[in-house]
Amino acid sequence: MARSGPPLRLFQNWQAKLAATPMILTALVVFIGCSLWTVVYSFTNSRLLPRLEFVGLAQYERLWSTPRWQVSIENLAVYGVLSLILTLAIGFLLAVLLDQKIRFEDGFRTIILFPYALSFIVTGVVWQWILNPDFGLQHIVRGMGFSGFTFDPLNDPNLVILALLAAGIWQGAGLTTVILLAGLRGIDEDVWKAARVDGIPTWKTYIFIVLPMMKPVFATCVVLISAGIIKLYDLVVALTRGGPGIASEVPAKYVYDYMFGNQNLGQGFAASTMMLAAVLAIIIPFALFQLGRKRRV
Amino acid sequence: MSDAAFPTRAAAPARASAPRGRLLDGPAGVAPTRRMNPKRIMVYGGLIVFSIYYLLPLWVMVMTSLKGMPEIRMGNIFAPPMEITFEPWVKAWSEACTGLNCDGLSRGFFNSVAITVPATILSIAVAAVNGYALVNWRFKGSEVFFTILIFGAFIPYQVMIYPIVIILREIGLMGSVWGLVLVHVVFGMPIITLLFRNYFSSLPPELFKAARVDGAGFWGIFLRVLVPMSLPIFTVAVILQVTGIWNDFLFGVIYTRPDSYPMTVQLNNIVNSVQGVREYNVNMAATLLTGLVPLTIYFLSGKLFVRGIAAGAVKG
Amino acid sequence: MAQALRAAPATELDGISVSIRDLSLSYGSVEVLGDLNLDVKDGEFLVLLGASGCGKSTLLNCIAGLQPATEGQIFISGQNVTWAEPSERGIGMVFQSYALYPQMTVEGNLSFGLKNARVPKDEIRRRVARAADTLQLEPLLKRKPAALSGGQRQRVAIGRALVRDVDVFLFDEPLSNLDAKLRAELRVELKRLHQNLGNTMIYVTHDQIEAMTLADRIAIMRGGKIQQLASPDDIYRRPANLYVAGFIGSPPMNLLPGRLEGNRFTGALTADVTGYDFTSRPRGPEVVLGIRPEHVRTGAAAEALPIRAEALVEVVEPMGADTLVWAQLGQTPFRVRMDGESRVRAGDRLSVGFDPASLSLFDAASETRL
């Protein structure tokens, strides 16, 4: 029944506050608290157990002088750039192809997107089998008469990144396609009518009129793909286990191995803090851009 | 204007017998179109090439899993089996070795079910209430917490995994299935909360007002008015969460012990174990088994799956 | 009701159903409602009328308790309900978008509020049956809202307020989503309902026809303040200020700026306003003369009237029953509503005339009626 006093601020819709406690705890304890904890402990010499003995930037110095970390960063950069470009290019091409009022659109889209429903572990294992030098692609092509043909990315340090790309794009390009297709469908029909009346060829309309109109959708895709690239871990574990040698190591795997395998927590914390810094470098400009756009509207 | 310009119904039969004098020479009626022009061929050709790229691994998986090892050693991984055998499937399910024990993937399957079911239910329940509170019962700071939540979705898990180990150890859930469930609830929260927030804010606010005038409270409005009309969005959330949690590897390998490893971790251990003879057919059967649950959901849900990921992505 | 709803001194609120005292609402520095005072009598049909963003819906939400006010008090049926929950205020509310619960049947929609209030089952059945009878909803009781037409949905929404057995009904633009024909029908039905029930009704709309036809009194709002609170007839004939004069009437009143010396007006026309019922004298000589297009006579009828002028016809809009003439009086646009039978053409010179009793005079500086 009715309250007898003035509604106190703290108790105003207390049920909502109570119901939102899990969200508040997640935001404060996990996302902020745990991240800060890791950043702080990255300046300590923790090994098997976390210890608050500060050693300044020693962990970072050691991190950047470790060949495995250098290779990891280099791999991530190469994989990241190629994967971003190829995913966007293939995604856009497929979206345009699907947008041509084709028959069986649902069928094609189902085929293109199904790998996205799979675990990276499944993807990695399948591509490991397809790229197996003794039974897979290389074996088949040799069997067709090209006995000198060599394509063994899983055992070639220079090509192993291609194996990761083939599998990664197989799994992820469908998502980009679907998002870009939604973006294409969101464009005003009248733009197409106007272009047709003006006699502009379809491909030109796509590149010079539609593409610039889809900037926000592309920005969303870039952020999603980038977030995925930085988290790249499961696929490497299942497909190459970082090999041959350390040729396909990535930062996320470095973090895991140092934290849980080599019992060198400080290194793991420093490496994960570097990953956080990289993400912030992508997210903050994007967030500011979005914020600025909202203000202007 | 003469009548002839607007032929009436009565005039029509007369016109049929009269000479066709009104049409001039040249194009008339529907323009002729070729069903297959070069452009269409390119479009379909491109789509078919990509479809092969996408379907080939699935094909290879299925074919390999149905062959015996001798046939695999001799033959072509793309070729269909000459002799179909289901033995690899049986072996993968109940006999394959994961390093510690040799009772196959079945253990992982049941572990995954035991993780996915409560984690899906709990994470959706929490996130739906979040979204509802954020839209209809805003309080001071609610938007701030939501912004942190969305930012949190982009923080690499690696930054948070170790402190969470400590937290789980403190509350006694480290290594147990329930600890992993909690982790999934936490990390599923941003995207699912966003999903529900967007959905609830698309509903007419008058509905909420009407329910308040009718005397329904915080939970009454949520459970009796909003939830019954939100079935589609709950389905989308279930699809997202079941596939996401089933496919997880990182959290499974960190927060559970070997006897409660989820299926993905077991699959990786079977395939990438160093000891013993490699049985590729068993590996592929195991891979298919692991992928079967999300694939089934994907093929059954069709457009809802697309709607789910698009809703999460475009608005994020 | 709980004791917490403190009863106000009985004499002061006698015969008053809803009383609003010094009500204000602001978001930060933006003032949405400013120092509002309003008394609605028992059984009165009050319409809050205004353009979008004038605060009329916000005021209604405040009365309903859906929007907490920053300052002031609200009394309903003699109880101070300023802090009370919407469901405790003794109100029923009907929304523009109907806001029917889509997964419940019509019967479920009608009984939801009663179930929440833990009304006994027999009583619920009795009240639902009565409301269904009043609104002719019996054949629809088992249907879901999706299977109803717009008009039927709105009747269910009204029924939802009806079953609550409350003293005050609140309507938030209830007819705006309907097409013109249905709107006219439901308008009549609403009026009949009010006559039969005799409840207090507060009705928000931006449609002046709805306001004029339904209201006992109209409150015209602008910028969170009430501009004029009066009977429809008063608002039409004696608008309190220039805003109300321009807002009510379609096409709106002709407004001619000029000077008033004694009883002599000079502007686009010269007129002797003897016979006008002054409530106050202007502070300065600058005034605005207003005359409704339908109060202007033309041709022979104009000759007999005290104020006459000649206008140049620019555009003629025949509308069947009457004809709208857009003319120029010197340099000032001037609208005249004529009989549908009259034959005028663009370029014609038209002699016009009107009575001082039918015009309105406003002070140019304060924009208020003289």
Side-chain angles (χ1 to χ4, degrees):
Chain A
M1 268 303 168
R3 292 174 297 257
S4 52
L8 265 172
R9 269 203 161 248
L10 191 65
F11 293 112
Q12 236 169 27
N13 65 42
W14 59 274
Q15 279 168 314
K17 285 174 189 172
L18 188 71
T21 326
M23 176 178 84
I24 296 170
L25 283 180
T26 298
L28 295 183
V29 176
V30 180
F31 291 161
I32 291 188
C34 289
S35 301
L36 283 179
W37 190 95
T38 299
V39 172
V40 168
Y41 275 84
S42 74
F43 299 105
T44 68
N45 64 354
S46 307
R47 291 193 66 83
L48 180 58
L49 291 171
R51 278 188 310 185
L52 267 180
E53 269 174 43
F54 289 101
V55 291
L57 292 173
Q59 296 286 7
Y60 291 92
E61 277 160 24
R62 196 177 141 207
L63 179 70
W64 286 100
S65 59
T66 308
R68 188 176 152 187
W69 176 255
Q70 290 161 0
V71 172
S72 298
I73 289 290
E74 200 183 295
N75 280 340
L76 191 67
V78 174
Y79 175 85
V81 170
L82 290 178
S83 157
L84 194 62
I85 293 172
L86 285 172
T87 308
L88 285 178
I90 292 174
F92 187 64
L93 177 64
L94 281 171
V96 168
L97 289 179
L98 285 174
D99 195 32
Q100 302 306 308
K101 298 194 175 68
I102 51 159
R103 299 180 69 180
F104 314 118
E105 184 193 315
D106 283 354
F108 280 118
R109 203 190 45 218
T110 307
I111 290 170
I112 287 163
L113 191 60
F114 89 84
Y116 186 74
L118 292 173
S119 166
F120 271 120
I121 301 297
V122 170
T123 304
V125 170
V126 175
W127 282 90
Q128 192 189 60
W129 174 235
I130 288 176
L131 297 173
N132 184 309
D134 301 326
F135 304 100
L137 265 180
Q138 175 175 287
H139 176 72
I140 305 285
V141 178
R142 281 184 185 170
M144 290 191 305
F146 307 92
S147 53
F149 178 81
T150 309
F151 183 69
D152 186 9
L154 293 180
N155 294 307
D156 183 340
N158 296 318
L159 293 181
V160 71
I161 214 88
L162 283 184
L164 285 177
L165 276 173
I169 289 168
W170 181 75
Q171 164 130 15
L175 174 67
T176 311
T177 306
V178 170
I179 296 173
L180 290 179
L181 184 61
L184 283 178
R185 295 275 153 86
I187 282 175
D188 190 354
E189 276 290 305
D190 291 349
V191 169
W192 282 102
K193 290 181 189 161
R196 209 172 144 196
V197 171
D198 289 344
I200 302 167
T202 309
W203 66 272
K204 270 195 178 173
T205 313
Y206 269 116
I207 291 178
F208 295 110
I209 300 172
V210 172
L211 209 56
M213 288 175 79
M214 298 218 331
K215 258 187 211 154
V217 184
F218 270 98
T220 306
C221 286
V222 168
V223 170
L224 284 177
I225 299 169
S226 310
I229 289 168
I230 290 171
K231 286 175 181 170
L232 178 69
Y233 170 73
D234 316 19
L235 186 62
V236 177
V237 170
L239 183 58
T240 70
R241 273 174 289 163
I246 56 164
S248 62
E249 289 291 345
V250 286
K253 189 162 175 295
Y254 186 95
V255 172
Y256 179 84
D257 289 350
Y258 274 84
M259 276 187 195
F260 299 100
N262 298 1
Q263 298 177 338
N264 189 340
L265 287 176
Q267 272 297 289
F269 295 151
S272 57
T273 303
M274 292 313 304
M275 291 176 67
L276 178 63
V279 170
L280 292 182
I282 298 170
I283 290 295
I284 288 175
F286 180 76
L288 291 179
F289 166 75
Q290 291 280 15
L291 209 69
R293 231 177 29 159
K294 256 183 217 155
R295 287 257 167 82
R296 249 175 286 146
V297 170
Chain B
M1 285 264 177
S2 69
D3 298 345
F6 298 104
T8 58
R9 206 165 288 164
R15 214 182 68 172
S17 58
R20 299 174 54 213
R22 304 220 143 262
L23 289 180
L24 299 179
D25 284 343
V30 179
T33 43
R34 275 180 297 164
R35 183 160 294 175
M36 271 298 149
N37 52 25
K39 195 189 129 193
R40 298 308 271 177
I41 293 172
M42 265 169 57
V43 167
Y44 283 104
L47 283 172
I48 288 167
V49 168
F50 274 107
S51 299
I52 292 172
Y53 166 60
Y54 279 102
L55 285 177
L56 206 60
L58 192 62
W59 168 262
V60 170
M61 252 191 289
V62 176
M63 290 310 125
T64 307
S65 73
L66 297 174
K67 291 176 189 171
M69 271 315 282
E71 195 186 330
I72 291 175
R73 284 199 199 91
M74 292 167 9
N76 176 332
I77 61 167
F78 299 116
M82 287 175 283
E83 210 179 312
I84 293 181
T85 165
F86 291 100
E87 202 189 327
W89 286 73
V90 176
K91 218 173 163 190
W93 178 252
S94 54
E95 290 164 35
C97 296
T98 58
L100 284 170
N101 37 37
C102 286
D103 51 6
L105 267 177
S106 52
R107 176 196 291 267
F109 175 84
F110 291 114
N111 285 341
S112 278
V113 171
I115 293 160
T116 305
V117 171
T120 301
I121 294 171
L122 268 177
S123 66
I124 291 175
V126 169
V129 174
N130 285 345
Y132 165 62
L134 283 168
V135 171
N136 290 318
W137 299 87
R138 290 182 175 212
F139 52 89
K140 215 174 173 191
S142 61
E143 283 300 296
V144 176
F145 294 122
F146 178 66
T147 311
I148 297 173
L149 204 66
I150 295 304
F151 259 89
F154 290 98
I155 302 176
Y157 298 140
Q158 280 75 16
V159 183
M160 298 172 278
I161 46 180
Y162 198 84
I164 292 176
V165 170
I166 298 177
I167 293 174
L168 288 182
R169 207 180 280 147
E170 287 300 316
I171 57 179
L173 290 179
M174 183 64 197
S176 81
V177 164
W178 286 102
L180 184 55
V181 167
L182 186 65
V183 170
H184 281 304
V185 170
V186 163
F187 286 109
M189 207 185 288
I191 180 76
I192 307 294
T193 299
L194 179 74
L195 194 72
F196 277 101
R197 192 190 85 127
N198 289 344
Y199 180 77
F200 287 140
S201 64
S202 74
L203 297 177
E206 280 97 350
L207 208 58
F208 172 75
K209 291 182 183 175
R212 279 194 72 188
V213 172
D214 271 342
F218 184 89
W219 295 108
I221 297 174
F222 180 64
L223 294 174
R224 298 181 46 201
V225 178
L226 294 183
V227 170
M229 61 186 296
S230 308
L231 226 65
I233 206 73
F234 273 98
T235 317
V236 167
V238 167
I239 293 166
L240 275 180
Q241 283 303 81
V242 170
T243 50
I245 294 167
W246 190 274
N247 288 337
D248 160 68
F249 172 78
L250 182 68
F251 298 142
V253 80
I254 293 175
Y255 299 114
T256 52
R257 288 187 218 95
D259 60 343
S260 49
Y261 273 160
M263 210 173 182
T264 48
V265 179
Q266 268 207 325
L267 170 69
N268 187 52
N269 288 350
I270 290 175
V271 174
N272 287 328
S273 73
V274 235
Q275 68 260 72
V277 188
R278 287 207 159 199
E279 292 179 291
Y280 297 109
N281 51 356
V282 176
N283 288 353
M284 284 304 117
T287 312
L288 272 172
L289 279 171
T290 311
L292 220 49
V293 167
L295 275 186
T296 309
I297 288 178
Y298 173 72
F299 285 116
L300 287 184
S301 62
K303 282 200 166 157
L304 277 177
F305 185 88
V306 177
R307 195 178 138 195
I309 59 170
V314 175
K315 286 174 183 163
Chain C
M1 279 293 140
Q3 317 87 314
L5 305 178
R6 268 162 273 171
T11 47
E12 204 179 322
L13 289 173
D14 241 11
I16 303 293
S17 174
V18 177
S19 177
I20 289 155
R21 306 275 166 115
D22 295 337
L23 193 80
S24 356
L25 173 70
S26 21
Y27 299 117
S29 60
V30 185
E31 187 179 71
V32 188
L33 297 176
D35 245 351
L36 247 142
N37 282 291
L38 180 65
D39 280 342
V40 187
K41 292 190 217 73
D42 271 336
E44 187 177 20
F45 199 121
L46 180 92
V47 171
L48 300 174
L49 177 66
S52 65
C54 72
K56 56 188 191 298
S57 283
T58 314
L59 175 58
L60 197 73
N61 279 332
C62 283
I63 298 173
L66 293 166
Q67 170 73 62
T70 324
E71 307 271 341
Q73 294 178 318
I74 298 169
F75 292 85
I76 296 177
S77 308
Q79 312 278 338
N80 184 343
V81 295
T82 314
W83 293 332
E85 280 293 305
S87 51
E88 298 162 351
R89 293 188 173 210
I91 51 141
M93 192 160 177
V94 179
F95 299 91
Q96 177 180 357
S97 62
Y98 323 129
L100 299 182
Y101 312 122
Q103 76 287 353
M104 298 182 196
T105 59
V106 169
E107 194 173 10
N109 268 282
L110 294 177
S111 56
F112 184 60
L114 300 177
K115 282 184 193 148
N116 280 317
R118 302 190 200 287
V119 173
K121 272 207 177 106
D122 288 351
E123 174 70 10
I124 293 181
R125 211 171 305 129
R126 204 178 53 75
R127 289 208 213 165
V128 168
R130 200 185 56 198
D133 181 51
T134 312
L135 296 163
Q136 292 133 46
L137 289 171
E138 287 109 334
L140 310 176
L141 281 177
K142 298 290 171 209
R143 291 212 209 151
K144 295 255 173 96
L148 303 179
S149 71
Q152 290 170 333
R153 285 180 206 183
Q154 199 49 280
R155 289 220 302 274
V156 176
I158 293 170
R160 201 164 54 179
L162 212 58
V163 292
R164 293 172 57 79
D165 246 353
V166 289
D167 302 329
V168 182
F169 280 22
L170 307 177
F171 294 90
D172 192 358
E173 307 223 15
L175 305 183
S176 298
N177 274 9
L178 302 170
D179 63 52
K181 188 167 170 285
L182 206 52
R183 195 157 38 194
E185 281 173 26
L186 270 167
R187 210 166 60 207
V188 178
E189 217 168 297
L190 265 177
K191 192 152 191 171
R192 191 175 299 139
L193 190 71
H194 179 240
Q195 284 166 0
N196 293 342
L197 296 175
N199 294 42
T200 308
M201 296 193 174
I202 304 180
Y203 187 106
V204 163
T205 184
H206 64 265
D207 182 320
Q208 41 172 303
I209 310 272
E210 272 172 38
M212 298 295 277
T213 51
L214 288 171
D216 293 325
R217 280 193 303 163
I218 299 176
I220 296 202
M221 292 188 63
R222 181 199 192 189
K225 293 197 162 60
I226 293 177
Q227 300 285 311
Q228 185 172 9
L229 172 63
S231 71
D233 194 57
D234 260 5
I235 288 211
Y236 177 74
R237 290 187 198 285
R238 304 171 52 81
N241 56 35
L242 274 178
Y243 177 76
V244 175
F247 187 79
I248 289 286
S250 170
M253 189 181 269
N254 293 301
L255 295 171
L256 311 171
R259 298 171 69 82
L260 187 68
E261 273 138 4
N263 271 352
R264 186 151 197 84
F265 174 85
T266 37
L269 53 78
T270 350
D272 180 9
V273 296
T274 311
Y276 177 75
D277 181 19
F278 280 100
T279 48
S280 64
R281 295 301 300 186
R283 261 168 282 165
E286 304 288 324
V287 297
V288 177
L289 181 148
I291 178 74
R292 295 211 175 269
E294 50 272 37
H295 292 159
V296 179
R297 299 282 167 270
T298 54
E303 300 301 324
L305 292 167
I307 302 171
R308 286 179 303 275
E310 195 158 83
L312 177 66
V313 177
E314 279 197 316
V315 175
V316 178
E317 286 185 310
M319 315 218 300
D322 43 22
T323 297
L324 205 55
V325 176
W326 300 72
Q328 289 267 4
L329 206 61
Q331 297 300 311
T332 318
F334 193 77
R335 293 167 295 264
V336 182
R337 192 195 288 274
M338 295 175 69
D339 195 277
E341 307 295 313
S342 35
R343 293 279 169 268
V344 254
R345 269 179 304 185
D348 285 356
R349 297 208 147 268
L350 190 63
S351 72
V352 295
F354 45 90
D355 195 316
S358 62
L359 57 78
S360 294
L361 282 170
F362 303 95
D363 184 274
S366 65
E367 299 197 347
T368 51
R369 184 182 183 86
L370 295 171

